[in-house]
Amino acid sequence: MKQAIMLQGGCLCGAIRYQTHSMPFDADHCHCSQCRKSAGAVVMSWMDFNTEQVTWLQGQVTEFASSAQIRRGFCQQCGTTMTYRHVDYPQYCTLSIASLDNPNKVQPTYHIYTNEQVSWLTIDDTCQRFKTNKTSA
């Protein structure tokens, strides 16, 4: 049985393309300094899938080890931030919501690392907020 395509996306130049066979099981806004610097943005929005739910159609990300356990994937041609991967959890694939062809289809439900949020950014959504990761208050 062929799985239905739920979402499609890729990088700015089109060298990397992917599709998913489900909606993400989680989605968040991250305010940590590593996400800010890697994306060149004041907040990064991510969506989480089980690895087998994502099919890479074209190209592949180049990964940068931003810490001992974290790999950040990007397009080597245009620099688009595409993925976040924790080496201890190979069963998960985290993709940038901004890389979707239609990012309106995925809405984050919480903010993490709000203790690092830039002071001039005002966010008035109703999403839950965590000072560090999702397990903190």
Side-chain angles (χ1 to χ4, degrees):
M1 182 172 148
K2 193 172 183 177
Q3 292 181 311
I5 296 169
M6 300 298 291
L7 302 167
Q8 291 188 327
C11 66
L12 178 62
C13 73
I16 299 174
R17 294 289 303 160
Y18 65 85
Q19 66 187 26
T20 72
H21 306 289
S22 69
M23 293 301 286
F25 66 82
D26 213 355
D28 67 81
H29 298 292
C30 184
H31 298 270
C32 81
S33 62
Q34 296 250 330
C35 280
R36 284 199 315 265
K37 288 184 182 251
S38 71
V42 296
V43 64
M44 191 65 194
S45 300
W46 298 106
M47 55 186 174
D48 299 316
F49 298 88
N50 292 313
T51 303
E52 69 272 3
Q53 296 171 321
V54 177
T55 301
W56 294 95
L57 303 172
Q58 180 176 305
Q60 64 183 34
V61 295
T62 298
E63 289 190 323
F64 170 73
S66 60
S67 71
Q69 288 85 23
I70 304 303
R71 303 297 179 266
R72 294 176 181 276
F74 62 95
C75 174
Q76 194 166 11
Q77 291 184 43
C78 67
T80 299
T81 297
M82 301 284 298
T83 63
Y84 171 97
R85 181 172 68 87
H86 194 296
V87 297
D88 293 340
Y89 303 100
Q91 70 273 29
Y92 300 125
C93 179
T94 300
L95 298 168
S96 159
I97 293 174
S99 71
L100 286 171
D101 293 344
N102 184 353
N104 288 314
K105 289 187 174 186
V106 176
Q107 184 172 347
T109 58
Y110 60 96
H111 295 262
I112 56 175
Y113 293 96
T114 59
N115 63 329
E116 297 182 36
Q117 180 177 328
V118 295
S119 62
W120 49 261
L121 179 64
T122 302
I123 299 172
D124 66 354
D125 64 28
T126 58
C127 295
Q128 191 170 6
R129 284 151 169 73
F130 299 93
K131 290 181 181 179
T132 58
N133 60 31
K134 192 175 177 182
T135 59
S136 68

